[in-house]
Structures are given as structure tokens and as C-alpha cells.
């Protein structure tokens, strides 16, 4: 469940660096203003203070220290930075963190299994040698996770199409295609199917986290 | 790279968005899906002073309104919503939502599935794509072919700009400073007609080297009454060509139509393809799309 955000929060809590006072509601924040936003990442709620120009990819990596999300091109082409936003794959390098205030994000770290070990997609990539250097892997794992939740029994052609927006410079893709099909098998074999993949990750002992991001 | 600094506003209503846009005029840019704007910011090719993020205006702008004549696509409708619809929807039980969305013009759904990759389509918007007016984009050609229009709102009121006036140049639309595009209207195809979208790109999801949206209408005797096509990536804006002269009547020759189209476009060389290759593709794609559109028109007339 996505917490219902107070959508006026941003305008109301815009602060300038070194000043914790609130700006007038309705005034347009100036360049350099900081915003307090709430993100639920892998089921953990975070409050983080960021400038408007902070990309979601950098917010995850630098502010929340979740470096499982990789950044390749920063213009939407390579797919390495793909995360799930409310369950749907998106490019985290093409989203401002402030835009997704109040929404849920699943990253590579959240694609692990319910027991905290490798999730089915991760396991399939390992079994099928779907990675070499691993730089592209987080983008594939998130993309494939969402794809299989929608299409649990894909054909090879559908599997190829599903990963068409992700670049890998090492593997030549053959083993990645095999990994997608293997992950589908693993998920179908597991009890409960792909339901848990919608927002995977552990819920144990994760209290809210507050982070103060640098401008 | 990272975006430069900008003032950020996230209005809660369209009225509020319009007043901010009015205040900042040419210094403000609308942020919709961000799938074209954020790359430009990241590459420092754009540096607006103020961004007006419309992503919280879903109640007003994430809407599909339709009637028998047309479908009106609100500014926050993302590509994925239109792309999900297959042209000939299955006859298995459809929910209300499915039934409603199934009546998106087939050409719009088909063309949208050529826009980028599914991941990009989860954020990018139909209207944003029209305003961005990339000469290699699919949807401007579709809007032009079906005679659609874009609604532009500002504090002074709303104006509706027809497609042929909306696309002004490469990456240039008729949107004026202070305006918000609130919706685009795609008229439905006439009875006894069929359409098809085809393109050639380096990889699935890449911008097209050349693409075509094509529509064929039949008369009461099942003969071709008219055929028109809109080509993308062959000029600064989409190019509309009337192919009727080449395929009129009973002997339909799409090769002829292809030659007619080739004579009407003036593609340029760029790093992706030579002008000669683009012209060649215009011929090939006219034939491919024409044959499919004609078959669909016959099917629609119960005359397969
Ligand atoms: C890797 C990649 C591949 C792509 N491939 C294709 C492709 O093959 N074909 C294709 O057509 N597109 C492609 N795109 C672009 C994508 O379709 C974008 O979604 C679309 O061009 C712009 O829509 P947006 O909602 O993301 O707009 P934004 O990026 O938010 O905005 C784009 C421009 O339009 C303006 N704007 C947007 N909405 C409004 C509005 N409602 N009112 C006023 N101004 C507005 C913005 O100010 C900005 O100038 C690709 C993008 C990427 C990253
Ligand atoms: S880093 Fe986001 S797509 Fe390459
Ligand atoms: S494993 Fe190295 S880029 Fe894919």
C-alpha cells in the first residue's frame, strides 16, 4: 500500500539550505531549494531531503546508499537503472525523486526471495550464466521481475522482446534469454506464483529511515 | 550528467499550473513523463529556470474521453495505457475498463506500440510526445493522418490547434509560452476503412529511420475510394501524402503508391541513414502498410 501523500507537502516544506523555515504555501520554490520527500523503497519508508534536480537513481544510490541500482548512460538508453515504481519498470535516471514523492520503489535489493536469499530471477541469472561483469544485471532483474509478474509463461520471442530495452556489453544476450525462461519456471514452480514479486523484500525490523541528502 | 538547478513547482490543479506558467512564461517548462525532457536536462541541452511538474494532475489529466466521433487523450495518459490495447480485441469477457479502452482507434494503439520500449512507455505521455514534436516520432504522424487536434490552455482560455498547424518544425510545436497542452483528440476512422502503422528502425524501440501511418477507405462497391499516408523521419515535420491517384479503383498497385510517395518527400542524410535509403524505405513501407490497411478495410466492410 502506498501511503497517501499530503501532496501539498512539498510546497509547504520547501526550505532553503541552512534554513528550516517553511516557505509560503503556493509560492514557487527557487532553484536550490530542498524538499522533504517520502519514498517507500523495498517496503522500507524513507524520508529524505533532496534538491529538485536529484534524479531518482542518484537519490537511491547516494542518499539511501542503495547501490544495487546501476547508472550507465543517464539518458534512458541502457536500462541499467531500471527500478519498479509501484510495480512497473521505469528508468530511474529519467525521473526526479521529487516527482515520485509518496510512491513505492523496488530495486535490485528488493528482488531477493522472501527468505532474504536470492530471488527466483536472481537465481536464474546465476544458474544460466546470465551475467559476466554484472553491470547491466540490476536493470535486467527488475525488468524481468515485472515482466514475469504480468506474463508468467512467456515464449522465447516474448522473453527477447521483454529485454529489448536493456543493453548488455558482455554476454551476447543468449544466456540472458535463457535466464528469463528459467526464472519463469522457478516462479511457476514456487508456491504462490509471482504474487510476492509485486513488492518483494523483507519486512522484518525495518523502521522508517530519515536521510538528509546533500544538495 | 545531472540536470542543472531549476525552480520546481508541483501544482495540485490545472488552474494552479496555468497561473505558474503565466507567471514564468518562456522561463518555464512543463514536466510530463520526462522521457524526452529529462535526457535533455541530463545532457545539459536544456536549462529551464522553472519546471512545472504536472504529474499530480491525474484527476484532471489522466483521462480518456470518448464518443462515436473521437477519443480525447488527456495529458497524463501514458503510452502504456494505449499500447496495451490490441487492434482486434479478443471476444473473451471484457471488463468495463477493457471495453472502454478497446475502442481506442486501432491506428493509435498500433503506432503507440512502436514508441520506445515498454519501460519508457510506462512514463512517457501521448500528449508530451506531440508537444515534443520529434520528426522521428510516431504519434505526430498519426494525429496528422486522422485529422486530430491538440487543446492548449492558458490563463487566457483554451484554443484547439489542428494537427496541420500544430507541428511547426523539428522539436517545435505551436505551443506558446504560458500554455499547457491538456489533451489531444484523435477522430475515429470512417466506416469501411482500414489503417496500418509500419516503420523500420535499427532495433525494436529505437526511433524510426522511416515510418508510415496509412489509411485506406473503400466505397460501397468495395473499391478503394481514398488512400492517405503520413510519413515520419523524412522531413522536419510529418509529411501527409494523398495516395488515392495511385491506388484508385479495382487495380490496386502499392508499388505505384510507393513511387508517388517517394516523389513527395525530401528526406535528409544524417548519421542514422542516407537520404537515398530513407527514400527507398518510403517505397517499401508504403507497400507493406498499404497491403495490410487494405486487407483490414475489406475485413471492416465484411468483404475479406
Ligand atoms: C530511450 C528512449 C527511446 C525513445 N524512443 C521513442 C520513439 O521511438 N518514438 C517516440 O515518439 N518517442 C520516443 N521516446 C520519447 C518518448 O516517447 C517520450 O515519452 C515523449 O517524446 C515525450 O513525452 P513525455 O511525457 O515523456 O514528455 P516530457 O519529456 O515530460 O516533455 C517533453 C517536452 O514536451 C513538453 N510537454 C510535455 N507535456 C506537455 C504538456 N502537457 N503541455 C505542455 N508542454 C508539454 C515539455 O515541456 C518538454 O519540452 C524515447 C525516449 C527514450 C528515453
Ligand atoms: S542509466 Fe538510466 S537508462 Fe542508462
Ligand atoms: S554482464 Fe557485463 S554488461 Fe551485462
Amino acid at each position: 500500500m502506498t501511503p497517501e501523500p499530503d501532496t501539498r507537502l512539498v510546497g509547504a516544506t520547501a526550505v532553503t539550505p541552512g534554513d528550516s523555515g517553511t516557505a509560503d504555501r503556493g509560492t514557487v520554490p527557487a532553484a536550490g531549494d530542498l524538499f522533504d520527500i517520502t519514498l517507500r523503497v523495498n517496503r522500507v519508508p524513507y524520508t529524505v531531503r533532496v534538491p529538485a534536480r536529484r534524479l531518482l537513481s542518484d537519490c537511491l544510490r547516494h542518499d539511501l546508499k542503495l547501490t544495487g541500482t546501476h547508472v550507465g548512460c543517464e539518458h534512458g538508453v541502457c536500462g541499467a537503472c531500471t527500478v519498479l515504481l509501484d510495480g512497473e519498470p521505469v528508468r530511474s535516471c529519467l525521473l526526479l525523486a521529487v516527482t515520485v514523492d509518496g510512491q513505492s520503489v523496488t530495486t535490485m535489493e528488493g528482488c531477493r526471495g522472501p527468505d532474504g536469499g536470492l530471488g527466483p530471477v536472481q537465481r536464474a541469472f546465476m544458474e544460466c550464466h546470465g551475467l559476466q561483469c554484472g553491470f547491466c544485471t540490476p536493470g535486467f532483474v527488475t525488468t524481468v521481475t515485472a515482466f514475469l509478474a504480468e506474463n508468467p509463461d512467456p515464449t522465447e520471442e516474448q522473453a527477447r522482446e521483454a529485454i529489448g530495452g536493456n543493453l548488455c556489453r558482455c554476454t551476447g544476450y543468449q544466456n540472458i534469454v535463457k535466464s528469463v525462461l528459467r526464472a519463469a519456471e522457478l516462479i511457476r514452480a514456487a508456491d504462490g506464483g509471482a504474487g510476492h514479486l509485486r513488492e518483494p523484500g523483507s519486512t522484518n525490523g525495518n523502521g522508517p529511515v530519515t536521510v538528509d541528502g546533500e544538495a | 550528467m545531472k540536470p542543472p538547478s531549476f525552480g520546481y513547482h508541483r501544482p495540485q490543479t490545472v488552474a494552479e499550473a496555468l497561473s505558474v506558467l503565466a507567471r514564468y512564461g518562456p522561463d518555464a517548462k512543463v514536466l510530463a513523463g520526462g522521457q524526452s525532457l529529462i535526457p535533455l536536462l541530463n545532457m545539459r541541452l536544456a536549462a529551464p529556470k522553472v519546471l512545472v511538474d504536472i504529474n499530480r494532475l491525474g484527476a484532471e489529466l489522466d483521462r480518456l474521453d470518448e464518443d462515436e466521433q473521437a477519443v480525447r487523450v488527456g495529458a497524463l495518459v501514458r503510452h502504456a495505457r494505449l499500447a496495451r490495447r490490441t487492434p482486434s480485441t479478443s471476444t473473451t469477457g471484457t471488463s468495463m475498463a477493457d471495453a472502454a479502452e478497446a475502442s481506442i482507434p486501432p491506428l493509435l494503439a498500433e503506432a503507440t506500440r512502436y514508441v520506445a520500449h515498454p519501460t519508457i512507455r510506462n512514463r512517457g505521455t501521448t500528449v508530451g510526445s506531440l508537444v515534443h514534436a520529434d520528426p522521428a516520432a510516431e504519434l505526430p504522424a498519426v494525429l496528422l493522418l486522422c485529422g486530430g487536434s491538440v487543446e492548449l490552455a492558458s490563463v487566457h482560455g483554451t484554443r484547439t490547434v489542428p494537427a496541420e498547424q500544430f507541428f511547426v518544425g523539428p522539436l517545435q510545436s505551436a505551443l506558446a509560452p504560458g500554455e499547457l497542452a491538456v489533451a489531444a483528440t484523435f477522430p475515429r476512422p470512417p466506416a469501411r476503412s482500414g489503417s496500418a502503422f509500419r516503420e523500420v528502425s535499427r532495433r525494436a524501440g529505437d526511433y524510426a529511420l522511416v515510418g508510415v501511418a496509412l489509411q485506406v477507405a473503400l466505397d460501397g462497391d468495395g473499391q478503394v475510394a481514398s488512400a492517405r499516408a503520413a510519413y515520419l523521419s523524412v522531413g522536419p515535420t510529418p509529411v501527409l501524402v494523398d495516395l488515392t491517384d495511385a491506388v484508385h479503383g479495382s487495380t490496386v498497385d502499392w508499388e505505384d503508391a510507393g513511387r508517388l510517395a517517394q516523389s513527395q518527400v525530401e528526406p535528409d542524410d544524417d548519421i542514422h541513414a542516407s537520404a537515398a535509403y530513407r527514400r527507398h524505405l518510403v517505397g517499401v513501407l508504403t507497400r507493406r502498410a498499404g497491403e495490410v490497411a487494405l486487407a483490414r478495410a475489406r475485413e471492416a466492410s465484411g468483404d475479406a
Side-chain angles (χ1 to χ4, degrees):
Chain A
M1 264 282 295
T2 307
E4 194 52 48
D6 172 359
T7 48
R8 287 186 297 182
L9 193 68
V10 163
T13 60
V15 290
T16 40
D19 167 20
S20 59
T22 34
D24 285 341
R25 190 160 286 194
T27 58
V28 177
D33 280 353
L34 296 174
F35 300 86
D36 288 329
I37 62 167
T38 306
L39 293 178
R40 209 173 141 78
V41 185
N42 305 326
R43 292 189 170 165
V44 181
Y46 293 87
T47 303
V48 52
R49 178 166 291 187
V50 292
R53 64 192 278 258
R54 178 76 90 245
L55 299 171
L56 177 61
S57 46
D58 289 336
C59 177
L60 293 168
R61 290 178 54 84
H62 301 307
D63 300 327
L64 307 187
K65 311 285 186 231
L66 293 169
T67 52
T69 299
H70 289 179
V71 172
C73 65
E74 257 171 9
H75 54 269
V77 175
C78 74
C81 69
T82 305
V83 300
L84 308 185
L85 181 69
D86 294 333
E88 292 195 328
V90 296
R91 303 287 201 237
S92 63
C93 74
L94 297 188
L95 279 173
L96 301 176
V98 280
T99 294
V100 299
D101 182 14
Q103 291 185 261
S104 289
V105 177
T106 304
T107 66
M108 175 65 154
E109 288 93 338
C111 291
R112 68 183 97 142
D115 61 353
L118 291 182
V121 181
Q122 293 166 329
R123 213 177 107 199
F125 270 73
M126 191 186 76
E127 284 180 12
C128 301
H129 295 279
L131 66 151
Q132 289 179 23
C133 79
F135 190 85
C136 66
T137 313
F140 277 96
V141 169
T142 48
T143 303
V144 170
T145 295
F147 170 64
L148 294 178
E150 214 162 85
N151 184 352
D153 192 8
T155 63
E156 183 183 325
E157 200 186 321
Q158 289 167 333
R160 280 179 190 280
E161 204 184 310
I163 57 168
N166 293 67
L167 296 181
C168 172
R169 299 290 77 189
C170 301
T171 63
Y173 301 103
Q174 304 305 321
N175 287 347
I176 296 183
V177 174
K178 284 186 198 141
S179 305
V180 179
L181 299 173
R182 176 68 184 139
E185 272 173 25
L186 289 173
I187 292 168
R188 287 199 308 271
D191 268 347
H196 72 283
L197 292 171
R198 271 290 166 199
E199 207 197 42
S202 155
T203 48
N204 298 335
N206 291 325
V209 182
T210 299
V211 187
D212 198 349
E214 300 279 293
Chain B
M1 285 198 295
K2 318 296 178 193
S5 290
F6 47 80
Y8 175 77
H9 193 86
R10 197 173 68 187
Q12 308 302 314
T13 63
V14 167
E16 197 191 325
L18 297 183
S19 79
V20 180
L21 287 168
R23 178 147 24 125
Y24 287 92
D27 289 337
K29 274 260 171 213
V30 170
L31 175 67
Q35 303 300 288
S36 294
L37 183 53
I38 306 245
L40 292 176
L41 298 178
N42 286 357
M43 292 188 271
R44 303 283 173 115
L45 294 171
K49 288 209 177 92
V50 172
L51 278 195
V52 182
D53 186 341
I54 61 170
N55 283 283
R56 295 290 148 134
L57 306 183
E60 289 172 274
L61 299 180
D62 187 7
R63 308 173 46 133
L64 282 174
D65 295 302
E66 49 164 326
D67 57 29
E68 274 154 34
Q69 273 78 50
V71 53
R72 181 175 175 275
V73 181
L76 269 183
V77 174
R78 317 231 180 233
H79 297 310
R81 190 162 160 198
L82 302 187
R84 241 173 247 135
R85 310 312 313 174
T86 44
S88 47
T89 39
S90 73
T91 47
T92 52
T94 44
S95 71
M96 283 282 282
D98 267 3
E101 303 214 354
S103 57
I104 287 162
L107 181 64
L108 177 57
E110 185 173 42
T112 302
R113 282 196 296 277
Y114 284 92
V115 176
H117 312 286
T119 306
I120 308 285
R121 296 202 294 262
N122 281 337
R123 292 302 296 178
T125 63
T126 306
V127 171
S129 180
L130 298 171
V131 173
H132 191 60
D134 193 306
E138 290 79 6
L139 302 177
V142 172
L143 192 78
L144 184 66
L145 181 71
C146 70
S149 59
V150 182
E151 268 167 67
L152 304 175
S154 73
V155 288
H156 307 297
T158 300
R159 61 187 180 122
T160 300
V161 181
E164 59 270 25
Q165 288 159 31
F166 189 71
F167 305 108
V168 176
L171 303 182
Q172 229 191 324
S173 73
L175 182 96
E179 282 183 320
L180 175 70
V182 288
T185 298
F186 294 82
R188 293 189 187 287
R192 286 195 298 273
S193 72
S195 61
F197 190 93
R198 289 293 181 270
E199 73 177 37
V200 169
S201 60
R202 291 288 303 279
R203 300 173 308 166
D206 282 359
Y207 275 103
L209 298 175
V210 173
V212 62
L214 193 149
Q215 189 178 71
V216 177
L218 305 180
D219 63 21
D221 303 325
Q223 311 278 327
V224 172
S226 74
R228 295 182 326 130
Y231 296 86
L232 50 114
S233 224
V234 294
T237 59
V239 179
L240 194 61
V241 178
D242 192 333
L243 303 171
T244 311
D245 282 349
V247 290
H248 192 64
S250 52
T251 49
V252 173
D253 184 351
W254 290 109
E255 303 284 347
D256 240 14
R259 280 187 291 274
L260 173 63
Q262 284 170 326
S263 73
Q264 308 269 309
V265 298
E266 282 181 32
D268 277 334
D269 290 316
D270 64 21
I271 54 164
H272 305 293
S274 67
Y277 181 53
R278 285 205 157 93
R279 196 180 292 278
H280 170 72
L281 290 180
V282 165
V284 172
L285 288 170
T286 301
R287 194 191 67 231
R288 287 186 192 165
E291 284 168 359
V292 175
L294 179 58
R296 289 176 179 167
R298 290 196 169 132
E299 213 174 295
S301 326
D303 178 29

